[in-house]
Amino acid sequence: MGVCLDAPNSSHQYIVSQFKKRKVSSDDDGSTACSLTREAKLSLPTLRASDYFMEPSLTELTMRELLDPGHCTRVQNFTVGRYGYGSVRFFGDTDVRWLDLDQIVKFKRHEIVVFEDETIKPMVGKGLNKPAEVTLVLQKPSSIEKLKSSAENQGAKFISFDPNKKEWKFSVQHFSRFGLSDDEDDVMMDDADVDVRNQVTLNDNDGSDIDEDSPLTDSRLLSHSLPSHLGLDPVRMKEMRMMMFSNEEEDDDMELENSNGTLSHHRTLVGSKTVQRSSPLTTRKTPLALLEYNPGSFASSPNGSILLAQQNKGLPLTLTKVQGFKLDIKETPVTKSYSHNIVDAGLLMGRSFGIAWGPNNLLIHCGSVGDSKKNSYLSSTIRLEKVAIDNVVRDEDNKVREELVDLCFDSPLNFHKEINYEPKEIMFDSYKLKTRKLVFNGFELLPICRKYIGIIEKQLEVPGLSSSARVMLMHQVFVWELINVLFSSKESSLDADEAALPLIRRAEFSVWLQESVCHRVQDEISSLNDSKYLQQLFLLLTGRQIDAAVELSASRGDVRLACLLSQAGGSTVNRMDFDRQLDLWKTNNLDFNFIEKDRIRLFELLAGNIHGALGEMDIDWKRFLGLLMWYHLPPASDLTTIFKTYQQLLETGRAPYPVPVYIDEKLVKDGESWIPGNRFDLAYYLMLLHSNEDRDFTSIHMLKTMFSAFASTHDPLDHHMIWHQRAVLEAVGTFSCDDLHVLDMGYVSQLLNLGHCHWAIYVVLHMLHRDDYPYLQASVIREILFQYCETWSGQESQRQFIVELGVPSAWLHEALAVYHAYNGNSFKALEHYLGCAFWQKAHSIFITSVAHSLFVSGKQSEILRLATSMEDHKSEIENWDLGAGIYITFYSLKSSLKEDDDTMTGLGSLLDKNDECRKFFNHLKGTLAFWDDRLSIDARTVYTKMAEEISDLLVADPGEGSTTEVKLECFNTIFDSPVPQDLLSSHLQSAISHFTLHLTEAAS
């Protein structure tokens, strides 16, 4: 067949047809003048994957090889790609002869692999192991900076990134594997370090085939791994791990495409050498366990030095059960970490380990809680820490003091219980629960606040308290006093005009403010020497200690200044006179260098210009509020005006922030990390609450911040006093909010941590009812009863207290039943299931665990008591006749067979007794068949014992109508009973005797 070179269409058709034949068979021996030689034909590259392409295409290569023999040895810019994944363009001339591109070039998600099989990889610069430009199509957003960093980490050179097409281009000098990790957005590259790969010698008896997704890992990326931490070679450990896994990437890609766009987690790996085996091992998809961990070495080893010992290298593997180790858990607050109890995560749950809470506030995690330095930690180790939720009851030696437990929790709650409350019933299923809400008016507020203050003052008398704890307690005293000042009713306690009541409240607040800042004034004055008496005068005025200021000024001979100071904070006329005089001095260009600056500051303060008087002086927010009230605003200003004026200055940045007391007093080291505006002192929130005249405090966010632990203490888990303050404020009618359950649950958690389950339930009963969560209180109480059953059930006082609170006794019985069933005490579990009327559950435990034990012990009356207590509710018990009913039938039948007199109608004759016994035996066999393997061997033995006793009683007393035929019928009944064959031998002898007698009588 001839081909005309001048007819391009015919030549193209011929080449295409020859190409199609070549893909199917390589035995085409047809030869024409224009056809390729067999050698040239076989030298063309092959690419069979339908989703791959190459440029020039195979058709074009065939045509060019035909026109220019040897063209395939010098193909310009040869390109191979995969649709939707990317492409690679090799620079310069490339020899593409005999290339199996399906095996050489592989595109995966965000990754290209060239020469994954190192055995066929040519030298750098030869074949396809040469400089090239790679284009990868990214399936997720990424930044140019990260892509540049990824390219540099691989040794590649970043070219460009098209965010519209999501095409990332970079150039490489040689090939193995390049790409972007889907797990960590990090890129890893094979740096052609063949020596590292050759460090491992694989034996046919020790390894298994390594699949394409189990290559070696760059040792730099394993520098922080567990093997490195244990002093082992991370690369070698990685290779050993890969020999024990098999993972098909192509299967992963198929799952990826079939998962509705959900990306699976792929590890970014580098090339490895495939190892061939004559007998491959069983493929394992899960990691092997770490065997034979030596627990005894943990206590004596330094932190982080847990080692693996005597790992079993034989196959198959046998897991041995070893004794666990105990850790001395350090108690730490959640904001710091003092614990160094490091354990290997692989010893616990392997790859499935996650951060979780354990019992008794035990936190299991990786890293460090509250680590502001963002330190990196080993991902293969975990830390066990116990949250110290009881810091408030510890002294400066970090020891729990029982007197602090009583004064912080028991005493306040006992007093809270004495206050009047309004009960409200809520229904939970068929049970009633009585919630509580404090109710009293403003006239009763004063004695209530004084009682709480008395409790706090007793805490101050406890020896061994830290200085910071004493400061916080004094702050709580001031808070209770402020609550009384701002919200108590004055009408009946004072015989004064109604118009004067705001001024009376202002005077009381002024006294409170003077007392609360007095210590700050004295501390700052003591730090000054006597020569700076003008500064001392100014500090005394910031605390409104006018008498002391006047005396100090007079003692220094400055009588005129003393006269002026005596009028500080007086009428606005005096302030205007001071201000006018200062303006005249400034207008007349008076040289102020002849007057002390501290004296000018005093004049500015007397004139009411507090900002001019303060200058650049730092002052706490309470004293600034005092300066505003005492020297700037009119003397008749009410508290609402004062608070709103301060709030306006605060919003414009002209007033210091009302920071919490622990930051203001510098009680914590991290006070500088406080963000302005995120939380304020509780006293400031009380002022805002008072200035809200309508008592419509609708800002839920502000209420939540106000009644958080951070408003009054630096311990985020301490809610013991803020809960009482919220309850009192809500009872007096200052606000109403049903969304403060975080505060309630925080306090509940504190009480449970101390083992005060009864008080925790008491707090839950004071949680406000919400229509969207109608069963919240009931659910929480039941949860407490179940989780802390061992605690409250072990103290009769707590149990009695819970009952007095109106908690349904059935809930207590149910919790106790579950607890005893879990601990294997079936007798107590049965009693409590009966107490909570769980008849079906009680019946099941009675049959499977209790009845047979009592039967063997001869406690007939106890069995009858339990069975008859359930008999009245047998309509609610499934299969009653096959359970406890069999015991009642047994004892009833046994009693009738023993008595001489006929106690049961129709049971006087032997025939009637035989009929009843037959019914009982059939019933007994049905019971055994129903319960089957749920019955223990002892329980089955009891049933056979019951059958044996009835059988003995049946043939013991013939009774009326005891003919030989009837007796033989009785023996038939016995032989059909569930009595073991070895026990029927005695009855068999009697039956033979009666049968012989029957034959004799018949013969005669």
Side-chain angles (χ1 to χ4, degrees), residues 41 82 89 113 316 335 348 431 446 463 495 601 744 819 829 885:
K41 178 180 179 181
R82 182 181 180 184
R89 180 170 63 89
V113 183
T335 55
L348 297 184
Y431 302 105
L446 176 59
D495 186 13
R601 291 175 62 193
D744 296 318
Y819 171 74

Side-chain angles (χ1 to χ4, degrees), residues 77 111 126 152 163 202 208 233 239 405 416 450 491-492 539 545 587 648 670 698 753 767 775 777 830 891 940 991:
N77 296 326
E111 185 180 50
K126 300 296 184 180
E152 292 176 359
L202 300 179
S208 60
D233 182 3
E239 292 172 344
V405 174
H416 186 278
R450 285 180 176 175
E491 288 80 357
S492 63
L539 291 175
Q545 299 182 26
T587 303
Q648 293 172 359
D670 56 350
T698 58
N753 183 74
M767 295 171 62
Y775 307 121
Q777 295 90 339
L830 173 59
Y891 285 116
R940 291 179 172 274

Side-chain angles (χ1 to χ4, degrees), residues 843 846-847 851 863-864 866-868 870-871 874 877-893 920 923-924 927 931 943 946:
H843 179 256
F846 175 78
I847 295 300
I863 295 177
L864 287 175
L866 294 173
T868 52
M870 292 183 285
E871 187 176 15
K874 61 182 180 181
I877 301 175
E878 186 179 1
N879 301 305
W880 163 262
D881 293 335
L882 299 178
I886 198 72
Y887 284 92
I888 295 178
T889 303
F890 166 72
Y891 285 116
S892 176
L893 180 59
F920 175 75
H923 195 186
L924 202 59
T927 300
W931 292 100
Y943 284 132
M946 293 166 61

Side-chain angles (χ1 to χ4, degrees), residues 196-210:
V196 175
R197 301 188 195 95
N198 294 335
Q199 291 179 0
V200 180
T201 302
L202 300 179
N203 189 297
D204 286 344
N205 297 326
D206 295 334
S208 60
D209 293 342
I210 302 177

Side-chain angles (χ1 to χ4, degrees), residues 621-692:
W621 73 275
K622 290 182 181 178
R623 282 192 288 173
F624 181 88
L625 179 63
L627 296 178
L628 184 67
M629 179 178 69
W630 296 321
Y631 308 112
H632 179 72
L633 294 176
S637 300
D638 59 5
L639 293 181
T640 301
T641 304
I642 296 171
F643 298 152
K644 289 185 176 180
T645 303
Y646 172 77
Q647 187 177 7
Q648 293 172 359
L649 293 174
L650 183 64
E651 293 173 354
T652 58
R654 301 179 62 196
Y657 281 99
V659 296
V661 62
Y662 52 88
I663 297 178
D664 195 17
E665 299 287 348
K666 297 179 175 57
L667 301 180
V668 291
K669 295 180 180 179
D670 56 350
E672 291 154 4
S673 63
W674 176 79
I675 301 174
N678 64 344
R679 59 181 182 269
F680 299 125
D681 190 77
L682 181 59
Y684 175 67
Y685 286 117
L686 292 174
M687 298 174 194
L688 291 180
L689 195 59
H690 173 80
S691 62
N692 187 33

Side-chain angles (χ1 to χ4, degrees), residues 972-995:
N972 287 333
T973 300
I974 294 174
F975 293 149
D976 194 35
S977 67
V979 177
Q981 295 297 325
D982 57 341
L983 298 178
L984 293 176
S985 58
S986 59
H987 295 294
L988 181 60
Q989 294 177 2
S990 300
I992 293 174
S993 300
H994 282 83
F995 183 69

